[in-house]
Amino acid sequence: MISVAIDGPVGAGKSSVARESAKRLGFIYADTGALYRGVALYTIRKGICDGDADYKEKVEALLPEITVEPKLIDGEQKIFLCGEDVSEEIRKPEISMAASSVSPIPAVRDFLLDLQRNIAKKNNVLMDGRDIGTVVLPSAQVKIFITASPEIRAKRRFKELAEKGVDTTLEQVLNDLNRRDYQDSHRAVSPLKMAEDAVLLDTSDLDFEQSVQKVTELARAAAEKE
Ligand code: DC
């Protein structure tokens, strides 16, 4: 099996580039952020917020009740939370922040680890997240760290949200992005960082097609070696 691990900060274009690259390669695309978002949505529905006293303990106590299942439907990953399709709901900005808040909790990371590894055991996969090359799939044949400047990432994210009709401003998006970048890269467990053997792909000056070309080239080269 070939595994391509793609990590990087918010709005670097990871998921759109990874989704299209996986399609061209005939690989499964696994969006691991969606799993953290599923857990986050559950905590919000239970009225638990970051900043609550005993936040970590409250989230941990909920884990035994939660099932998060990624299912491939017509080639697209859908996320089922306790049997309910929440693929749309987990994209809301408040869920983004909450996912960043639940993700430093070691029990949450453990809870989702095997799920992620099992996907890669059974399929050629292009998996994106924050710790795929460093923790989840350390033996991936290809590791790519996708990034771009914060301003460019915020603009892309803002456009994406505006197209979905989400009411926000570029300034708000840049603030959220900086906060999430900070939280994601400063947590004690599995922080966002580039694996030593990863290829750095800065997409600030690349368009979507160029980014996809680069990822598919790297994956094809690895597949030929196998
Ligand atoms: O990729 P995303 O924006 O959907 O991820 C949402 C949050 O989940 C992100 O802020 C950090 C967390 N996350 C993580 O800690 N590890 C991953 N492999 C993927 C996401």
Side-chain angles (χ1 to χ4, degrees):
M1 289 296 158
I2 304 280
S3 298
V4 180
I6 300 195
D7 292 300
V10 180
K14 282 188 316 280
S15 53
S16 49
V17 170
R19 182 179 292 111
E20 178 60 24
S21 302
K23 203 184 272 175
R24 291 190 196 177
L25 291 161
F27 285 18
I28 301 279
Y29 165 54
D31 167 8
T32 63
L35 306 176
Y36 289 89
R37 288 169 181 268
V39 173
L41 175 60
Y42 195 87
T43 63
I44 285 186
R45 286 182 174 175
K46 292 286 172 181
I48 294 169
C49 306
D50 190 6
D52 285 358
D54 305 324
Y55 174 68
K56 180 171 161 264
E57 288 71 20
K58 285 182 182 161
V59 173
E60 279 173 9
L62 288 181
L63 292 175
E65 303 170 12
I66 306 180
T67 56
V68 189
E69 286 169 284
K71 288 189 191 168
L72 267 189
I73 298 182
D74 297 332
E76 284 287 313
Q77 179 187 277
K78 299 277 179 194
I79 295 294
F80 288 76
L81 176 64
C82 302
E84 176 193 347
D85 183 353
V86 293
S87 312
E88 293 293 319
E89 202 173 346
I90 57 170
R91 295 294 147 200
K92 292 182 180 160
E94 62 270 28
I95 307 298
S96 306
M97 267 334 287
S100 186
S101 299
V102 297
S103 64
I105 302 173
V108 172
R109 305 206 72 82
D110 279 352
F111 176 69
L112 296 175
L113 188 60
D114 285 345
L115 190 58
Q116 297 169 81
R117 287 188 175 155
N118 284 337
I119 300 172
K121 260 188 213 154
K122 295 182 217 138
N123 307 282
N124 287 331
V125 76
L126 214 146
M127 186 174 285
D128 84 15
R130 302 294 187 286
D131 61 339
I132 310 305
T134 50
V135 176
V136 178
L137 304 175
S139 312
Q141 290 90 336
V142 185
K143 297 182 186 179
I144 306 171
F145 193 86
I146 301 192
T147 190
S149 72
E151 290 71 24
I152 288 189
R153 292 191 283 122
K155 272 191 198 150
R156 288 178 185 161
R157 191 82 179 167
F158 176 66
K159 190 167 163 260
E160 211 178 278
L161 290 170
E163 280 168 6
K164 281 190 195 153
V166 176
D167 183 23
T168 184
T169 62
L170 181 59
E171 197 188 0
Q172 179 65 45
V173 172
L174 182 59
N175 282 342
D176 280 0
L177 182 140
N178 283 330
R179 248 177 78 201
R180 281 175 67 199
D181 276 0
Y182 185 88
Q183 275 185 194
D184 295 348
S185 50
H186 286 79
R187 61 180 181 226
V189 187
S190 303
L192 168 66
K193 82 170 189 252
M194 184 167 146
E196 280 174 10
D197 49 351
V199 174
L200 178 66
L201 182 61
D202 186 330
T203 64
S204 301
D205 298 317
L206 297 183
D207 64 21
F208 177 71
E209 181 57 31
Q210 289 168 319
S211 308
V212 171
Q213 288 278 344
K214 187 77 199 160
V215 171
T216 51
E217 265 167 33
L218 288 165
R220 288 200 176 105
E224 272 167 23
K225 269 198 224 156
E226 283 294 298

